[in-house]
Amino acid sequence: MAPTPVSTVPTEQPTPIQYIRSPRAETYLTQDGTREWIPYCVEDKKPREGMVFKTLEKAIEFYKDREGILESEGNYEEKGKRHRKRNSKRVGCKARIIWNLNNEVGEYKLTKLFEPHNHSRTSMPYLRSSRKMTMVHKNFVNSNTRMNIGPTKSFRLFKENVGSYDNVGATIKDFMNFHRDLKEHIKGDDAKMLIENFIRKRDVFNGFYFDYSLDEHDHVSHLFWADATSRKNYSLFGEMISFDCTYDSNTYSMVLAPFIGVDHHKSCITFGVGLLSKEDAQSFEWLFRTFLNAMGNCEPRYLITNQDPAMKVAINEVFSNTRHRLCLWHIMKKVPEKVGPELKQDEGFLKLLNECVWDMEQESEEFEATWNSLMVQYNLVENGWFQHMFSIREHWIPCYFRDLRLGGILRTTSRSESENSFFINFTNPHVTLVEFYMRFESAMDAQRHKQDKLNTESIHSVPQFITPLPLEKHAAEVYTRNFFYMFQDEVYKACFRCGISSIRMEENIEIAQVMDHSRQKTSEVTFNSGNLMTSCSCELFERLGILCKYAICVLNARQVTKIPEYYILDLWTKEATKRPIFYMHGNFLEECRKMNTTTKMLGEVWSEIFNCVGLAEGNEEYLQQFLDNLRDFSKNLVEKGKCVPMTKTQEMELFFGPSASSNLNIQNPIPSKNKGKRHRIVGEKEVAIEQSQKPKRKCKACGAYDYHDSRNCPNKTTT
């Protein structure tokens, strides 16, 4: 007997109940009072007996079976075994569809159909048969992984892209499971997969360089790589290098050790990167030698690091022509830890000390006098740390190496720490080596995109001028934007703060005394009117590579309209990256401009899709037309057999490259215990910073409002 439709008004046609969530269904009551649902759809899409399908897959796609009851349902303690409690989506639904195969014509004919379901259709989006992790989902999860975005957040972002959770087509658990499968694919072959990937990359791109070393048990202990772009950047901007280590970048706790420099925009660039299992002199020596091998054995002029003793030993062993200096920023960061609790809160002391050490224009005698005065004033004469730092002052106080052209990299370890923080944004302590490399590549893409953007801004835009001087306009023509602003600052000071107090002649050379009225400081400038050669006692050009305010003041007074060619360093100009490279063999640096054609085309496809969606978003007809076109194209690919479904392994290899298959005997690194590891002993400063972020509370023992309580009160007396 036909089911009776639920309706308050008797009608010949059943009145379907409208549901907010799609798909909709018509609800009926059977004779025994049981509700049944029949999916509501247009007539031409409703399955009917006698329909014929060319393949079973197409037939199943037309209709999906949901009939059956789990055998163990309702009996989770069977034969003495406890089973995990879980919900069942099997509800004994009898809805079914049956096809018979006609072997003569190879078609499937619909022979029987029972439509009514004994459950609401609102559960459809959560049924396994309605969920599928397509390549769109998987690629989205993998792409977000490169940006240090996990599966949970990826699921939410995907929902925002498609409009609602119902449109996602998968659950958050599906996203998490796929992310788990990615890691499972790497698992024990992590290091081997990475090395094999490097080998394949070197075979394709001659400019890619890498090396590694194994311990006595074939575990990876050292690793270094640099691509063609990094090596080119070193040839252009490698005079000065910053080197520092950071931690928590991978699951093995290997130390991340990037070689950092500064480009013609004063932005950080990466010349190469190493991963080390240990922070000892032997490891650093291996890394430094490997770095030099990658760079054609061309040593940097200056190398600035922190005070790590193992680094110092390795630097002395490897570099013969490099001048090693310590980072002033890193040293000054330690000051609060080396003074008493009262003095580290004294802003006056910290201000005076910073003025003392950072003044680049002072003479060494001035520095020593000011330093000794501060030590006496604040009772630090007997402080061992300050005594030691004064004894090695030639290695970190700027006034002792004013002849070094550090080009704004004086605070280089602060640059390193800033760049290390930049890398950490792309990684975390739980990623494998393969994942880390993928994320590192994303970080490099971001870094190089920034350089390209700055190149474009420098070439195709004009800055605002603050004076009518021709020198300022000429600087805007030749310098990159950031270095122009440095020069502009000197021009401003030359015009509004400086003046020539006296001039004398010595053998056709003008010697001018130029006063900075804001600082009451005089510098001596020599000027040759024949060749426009100019030098100043402040030695700013020797340090930064740009003319100082004193020299500009003299040039302007002599009506010089262009910066003398000698004082325009190619390093800081717009054309810096176009300089020819001679010491590297072959033409592999052309690879820096190559891009994988497929990757580029894929990006263009996605761009066009999003563009079309944006254009048609306000018109439902256009959206439907666009959707139909995409579905037709998809069906066409399937029917022509152009898109063969990939296996799970093939999908993983699509994201990570081929699985490890060579005869290389390479084992994953042994988890390290370096001094910078997360579970290290926390320093006093870090404890103080952490405490300062907490609210003070009243101690019941001493009555003071502080960061302690009665249990750890420093004034607590024991009985």
Side-chain angles (χ1 to χ4, degrees):
M1 179 179 249
T4 303
V6 176
S7 176
T8 55
V9 181
T11 60
E12 294 183 3
Q13 298 295 329
T15 303
I17 298 177
Q18 183 76 30
Y19 288 93
I20 297 177
R21 177 174 291 173
S22 178
R24 296 178 297 171
E26 297 175 351
T27 307
Y28 296 87
L29 285 178
T30 62
Q31 288 183 337
D32 60 0
T34 304
R35 283 196 177 195
E36 288 185 347
W37 287 262
I38 296 180
Y40 176 77
C41 64
V42 294
E43 289 297 321
D44 60 344
K45 291 187 178 182
K46 182 174 286 190
R48 303 180 188 282
E49 293 182 6
M51 283 184 169
V52 176
F53 300 88
K54 292 184 178 181
T55 65
L56 184 61
E57 288 74 17
K58 290 185 177 181
I60 295 176
E61 185 67 23
F62 199 83
Y63 182 92
K64 295 181 179 179
D65 186 11
R66 282 185 296 264
E67 180 260 336
I69 300 178
L70 289 177
E71 293 182 1
S72 61
E73 193 169 326
N75 184 21
Y76 90 103
E77 286 191 22
E78 182 179 2
K79 297 182 181 179
K81 296 181 180 179
R82 290 185 61 86
H83 297 274
R84 180 166 61 95
K85 293 181 179 179
R86 59 182 181 181
N87 295 328
S88 171
K89 296 181 178 65
R90 302 283 186 174
V91 292
C93 181
K94 301 299 181 181
R96 68 177 63 82
I97 189 168
I98 299 175
W99 294 274
N100 285 342
L101 173 62
N102 187 334
N103 291 317
E104 295 181 359
V105 295
E107 294 180 338
Y108 291 84
K109 183 178 181 180
L110 198 160
T111 58
K112 188 171 184 179
L113 171 66
F114 186 78
E115 281 194 273
H117 296 259
N118 67 349
H119 55 87
S120 170
R121 302 284 290 170
T122 59
S123 62
M124 281 294 295
Y126 306 100
L127 297 178
R128 181 173 299 178
S129 59
S130 301
R131 294 162 20 214
K132 182 180 179 182
M133 283 289 287
T134 65
M135 287 304 298
V136 174
H137 296 110
K138 295 174 182 178
N139 188 61
F140 188 79
V141 173
N142 184 61
S143 298
N144 283 342
T145 297
R146 293 170 179 261
M147 301 299 296
N148 204 22
I149 298 175
T152 300
K153 194 169 185 179
S154 295
F155 179 76
R156 295 169 182 161
L157 291 173
F158 197 93
K159 171 262 177 183
E160 295 300 325
N161 285 335
V162 298
S164 72
Y165 288 111
D166 289 345
N167 296 335
V168 173
T171 66
I172 190 171
K173 190 66 175 178
D174 296 327
F175 275 57
M176 295 173 68
N177 288 342
F178 175 70
H179 187 261
R180 176 206 60 201
D181 292 342
L182 290 177
K183 288 184 173 291
E184 186 69 20
H185 176 71
I186 300 169
K187 208 172 181 182
D189 291 326
D190 186 16
K192 190 175 181 179
M193 285 181 63
L194 181 63
I195 299 301
E196 289 182 352
N197 179 38
F198 283 171
I199 294 174
R200 288 190 297 271
K201 193 164 187 176
R202 184 180 59 189
D203 291 341
V204 177
F205 302 105
N206 293 330
F208 183 80
Y209 181 95
F210 82 97
D211 200 0
Y212 66 97
S213 69
L214 308 177
D215 63 15
E216 61 273 17
H217 301 294
D218 296 323
H219 295 279
V220 172
S221 57
H222 308 135
L223 185 61
F224 171 84
W225 69 89
D227 64 11
T229 302
S230 294
R231 298 171 75 186
K232 178 187 176 182
N233 284 335
Y234 178 77
S235 68
L236 296 172
F237 309 109
E239 287 190 351
M240 303 153 287
I241 285 185
S242 158
F243 182 78
D244 191 23
C245 296
T246 191
Y247 314 91
D248 294 345
S249 64
N250 56 84
T251 190
Y252 308 103
S253 299
M254 295 184 78
V255 175
L256 173 63
F259 293 83
I260 305 298
V262 173
D263 67 4
H264 54 317
H265 299 290
K266 292 182 65 180
S267 298
C268 290
I269 51 175
T270 304
F271 300 136
V273 65
L275 288 173
L276 304 175
S277 292
K278 296 181 180 179
E279 291 181 279
D280 54 16
Q282 181 181 3
S283 297
F284 286 127
E285 183 176 343
W286 179 93
L287 183 59
F288 293 151
R289 292 192 188 280
T290 305
F291 175 78
L292 288 183
N293 287 337
M295 305 305 169
N297 289 315
C298 293
E299 294 187 15
R301 290 189 181 183
Y302 318 113
L303 176 60
I304 303 180
T305 70
N306 58 29
Q307 293 177 272
D308 191 298
M311 282 187 197
K312 182 178 180 181
V313 171
I315 290 170
N316 293 335
E317 285 290 327
V318 177
F319 298 102
S320 56
N321 301 316
T322 300
R323 300 178 70 172
H324 179 214
R325 292 295 181 266
L326 301 176
C327 175
L328 175 53
W329 178 87
H330 188 271
I331 292 173
M332 292 303 293
K333 195 174 72 168
K334 294 181 179 180
V335 170
E337 301 177 9
K338 306 300 180 180
V339 298
E342 295 183 3
L343 198 55
K344 70 180 180 182
Q345 303 291 338
D346 190 330
E347 295 183 2
F349 162 71
L350 296 176
K351 180 181 178 181
L352 291 174
L353 184 62
N354 275 293
E355 290 175 353
C356 172
V357 300
W358 279 108
D359 190 348
M360 300 183 186
E361 297 184 16
Q362 65 182 333
E363 300 296 333
S364 57
E365 295 80 6
E366 294 179 74
F367 162 74
E368 292 172 8
T370 306
W371 176 278
N372 291 329
S373 176
L374 284 174
M375 296 300 104
V376 172
Q377 180 180 352
Y378 291 97
N379 298 320
L380 295 172
V381 176
E382 302 300 325
N383 186 294
W385 184 79
F386 282 95
Q387 289 178 347
H388 172 68
M389 296 313 302
F390 185 75
S391 68
I392 61 171
R393 57 192 179 279
E394 293 87 357
H395 294 281
W396 64 284
I397 296 297
C399 67
Y400 288 96
F401 42 90
R402 292 197 299 183
D403 60 321
L404 301 188
R405 185 172 296 155
L406 297 178
I409 201 173
L410 182 62
R411 305 185 183 205
T412 184
T413 304
S414 70
R415 284 188 177 271
S416 277
E417 295 213 359
S418 174
E419 196 67 1
N420 291 346
S421 176
F422 165 72
F423 287 133
I424 292 300
N425 289 333
F426 290 83
T427 187
N428 63 63
H430 309 292
V431 300
T432 62
L433 294 181
V434 173
E435 290 177 297
F436 172 80
Y437 177 70
M438 292 172 56
R439 297 175 183 214
F440 176 81
E441 289 286 275
S442 293
M444 288 296 93
D445 288 343
Q447 186 184 91
R448 291 162 186 173
H449 171 72
K450 178 182 178 181
Q451 187 185 77
D452 291 340
K453 182 174 181 292
L454 291 173
N455 284 338
T456 302
E457 290 178 353
S458 293
I459 295 173
H460 299 291
S461 64
V462 179
Q464 289 186 344
F465 299 111
I466 58 176
T467 71
L469 295 187
L471 284 173
E472 184 183 5
K473 291 182 173 62
H474 185 227
E477 295 173 3
V478 296
Y479 288 132
T480 60
R481 191 65 68 244
N482 286 332
F483 270 92
F484 164 75
Y485 289 138
M486 291 176 59
F487 186 87
Q488 187 182 59
D489 186 52
E490 296 299 315
V491 169
Y492 176 85
K493 294 175 183 177
C495 291
F496 301 106
R497 296 183 183 178
C498 296
I500 300 174
S501 57
S502 65
I503 299 177
R504 71 178 191 275
M505 299 290 296
E506 291 185 4
E507 300 179 355
N508 296 324
I509 301 296
E510 294 184 15
I511 302 178
Q513 300 297 318
V514 182
M515 168 72 77
D516 181 347
H517 300 291
S518 65
R519 301 187 61 189
Q520 295 299 308
K521 187 176 182 63
T522 300
S523 288
E524 186 176 86
V525 179
T526 61
F527 175 71
N528 186 329
S529 58
N531 56 17
L532 302 183
M533 293 294 290
T534 308
S535 64
C536 180
S537 59
C538 77
E539 298 180 319
L540 180 69
F541 178 77
E542 288 73 16
R543 294 195 311 274
L544 298 181
I546 62 172
L547 288 173
C548 65
K549 56 191 174 185
Y550 306 107
I552 293 173
C553 182
V554 173
L555 291 174
N556 185 46
R558 296 295 171 262
Q559 298 183 342
V560 177
T561 59
K562 289 189 175 182
I563 304 170
E565 187 175 348
Y566 175 81
Y567 299 102
I568 301 177
L569 301 183
D570 289 339
L571 191 63
W572 311 137
T573 66
K574 300 176 183 179
E575 306 296 319
T577 57
K578 298 181 180 180
R579 288 187 293 161
I581 311 302
F582 297 107
Y583 75 84
M584 290 185 175
H585 61 82
N587 63 350
F588 74 86
L589 288 177
E590 291 300 315
E591 297 167 6
C592 303
R593 291 186 288 271
K594 288 182 180 179
M595 182 178 181
N596 183 283
T597 305
T598 304
T599 302
K600 183 179 180 181
M601 188 176 298
L602 183 62
E604 292 176 352
V605 169
W606 280 114
S607 179
E608 285 300 323
I609 288 176
F610 286 124
N611 183 48
C612 289
V613 171
L615 292 173
E617 187 173 7
N619 190 307
E620 187 174 344
E621 180 182 351
Y622 291 162
L623 282 174
Q624 187 62 51
Q625 182 180 352
F626 181 57
L627 180 60
D628 292 340
N629 289 337
L630 288 177
R631 286 174 173 169
D632 290 341
F633 182 71
S634 177
K635 289 180 180 179
N636 186 41
L637 291 177
V638 173
E639 289 175 355
K640 291 183 177 181
K642 301 295 184 182
C643 298
V644 180
M646 290 186 291
T647 65
K648 189 173 183 179
T649 300
Q650 289 173 330
E651 289 182 350
M652 296 299 110
E653 291 179 347
L654 181 66
F655 299 123
F656 292 132
S659 303
S661 57
S662 69
N663 295 324
L664 293 174
N665 188 14
I666 299 176
Q667 305 298 321
N668 291 342
I670 298 176
S672 306
K673 294 183 179 180
N674 292 300
K675 58 188 177 185
K677 196 173 182 295
R678 283 175 296 154
H679 304 297
R680 69 190 189 284
I681 299 176
V682 183
E684 294 181 2
K685 181 180 179 181
E686 291 176 87
V687 173
I689 292 175
E690 184 177 355
Q691 284 187 342
S692 65
Q693 296 173 347
K694 299 178 180 179
K696 291 184 178 181
R697 53 186 177 182
K698 184 177 181 180
C699 174
K700 295 181 180 179
C702 65
Y705 283 90
D706 211 328
Y707 298 111
H708 65 265
D709 55 25
S710 58
R711 296 171 298 175
N712 53 15
C713 179
N715 299 323
K716 185 177 180 180
T717 58
T718 58
T719 57

